[in-house]
Amino acid sequence: MNLLQVRDLSFSYGRKQVFSQVALDIAPGELFCLVGPNGCGKSTLLHCILGHFKPQSGSVLIQGQPLSSYSPRELAAQLAYVPQTHSRSFPYRTLDVVAMGQTRSRSGMLSGREQEHGALAIMEELGIAHLAQEPYTTLSGGELQMVMLARALYQDSALLVLDEPAAHLDIRRTQHILNLLLDVSRRRGTAILMSTHDFNHPLQFQDGGAQVKMALMEGGALSMGGAPVDLLTSGYLEKMYQINSQLVQVQGRHFLAAWSQ
């Protein structure tokens, strides 16, 4: 059974239709990359799947059950979310922010010793343990993105939803994050749904041996879906973005080269 099933989902802001009749499935351990131009509705679709926005029509099923049937605590065991941006209001220790990923399993907000140990282990895995005692209000944008990812990983949910996870990261941290997501998908069996503008991200996942699907969103619909290598050799990018592109291989790895027509 698929972990996530989205059926005929439609959403609008007033009279502005954002998307309609969207359908997708994600299985346990699968990496699903949602790509498309700015303003096409990727983030809005993620918010509908997470239950933040109420769609006009359609359904979202988690483990075969309607999203609305889960309590907040139960839903936290199924879905973890990393947004593009995060508002920082209080100067919590960074370690406490990561430890809050396990809030559903305890009654208090601040971390206990056991939660701190687990949170620090995740931070070490991401290479940000040196930030543990820093107020998270002082972090850079890239550091904050890593902390939000650490918190989501510590939540240990069945599905990890990420909105442009590498948007604020330098190239070294981007590669580290992509490799980590690949490992999380393969080793833990965590399903991952992520939006991205970079077509090389799904290619890297596919080359890494992940169960990966990519879907192209435009015009309020998911117009194509399938394996990244197949989609990126179909000529569809030229139509969508009015660019030239070519899939190349370097040392057995696929990369997309693109240039203006």
Side-chain angles (χ1 to χ4, degrees), residues 63-251:
Q63 306 280 16
Q65 300 297 318
L67 190 70
S68 59
S69 70
Y70 288 91
S71 70
R73 187 178 292 256
E74 291 170 337
L75 192 59
Q78 301 297 331
L79 299 176
Y81 173 52
V82 180
Q84 277 193 54
T85 58
H86 175 79
S87 178
R88 295 173 276 188
S89 301
F90 300 100
Y92 294 118
R93 283 189 313 164
T94 300
L95 181 62
D96 286 321
V97 172
V98 176
M100 286 175 189
Q102 281 291 311
T103 298
R104 75 172 191 273
S105 66
R106 62 186 193 275
S107 58
M109 280 295 292
L110 295 180
S111 58
R113 182 165 297 179
E114 183 178 347
Q115 283 75 32
E116 285 188 0
H117 179 77
L120 188 58
I122 291 287
M123 295 182 74
E124 288 173 348
E125 190 175 357
L126 268 66
I128 56 172
H130 62 286
L131 300 174
Q133 302 303 320
E134 298 295 326
Y136 94 121
T137 49
T138 66
L139 304 181
S140 70
E143 290 170 337
L144 180 62
Q145 190 74 351
M146 298 286 283
V147 169
M148 293 298 102
L149 178 58
R151 185 175 70 175
L153 290 174
Y154 192 41
Q155 190 172 323
D156 196 26
S157 303
L159 174 64
L160 183 59
V161 180
L162 307 105
D163 193 0
E164 297 283 351
H168 305 288
L169 303 181
D170 58 44
I171 189 169
R172 180 180 65 84
R173 279 187 167 161
T174 294
Q175 289 302 305
H176 183 57
I177 288 298
L178 295 179
N179 288 330
L180 180 66
L181 293 176
L182 181 61
D183 182 62
V184 165
S185 173
R186 292 187 306 186
R187 179 168 51 85
R188 296 188 186 181
T190 302
I192 295 173
L193 169 61
M194 61 177 277
S195 65
T196 180
H197 289 294
D198 193 331
F199 291 99
N200 286 303
H201 293 171
L203 286 171
Q204 184 169 333
F205 293 141
Q206 185 171 356
D207 287 338
Q211 302 177 56
V212 57
K213 287 192 294 191
M214 186 176 77
L216 304 175
M217 191 169 187
E218 67 157 349
L222 291 186
S223 54
M224 289 185 71
V229 168
D230 295 337
L231 291 182
L232 295 175
T233 55
S234 67
Y236 191 77
L237 286 188
E238 286 78 355
K239 177 182 177 182
M240 177 186 284
Y241 291 99
Q242 291 78 54
I243 60 170
N244 295 312
S245 66
Q246 182 177 353
L247 202 62
V248 297
Q249 281 188 278
V250 179
Q251 297 182 352

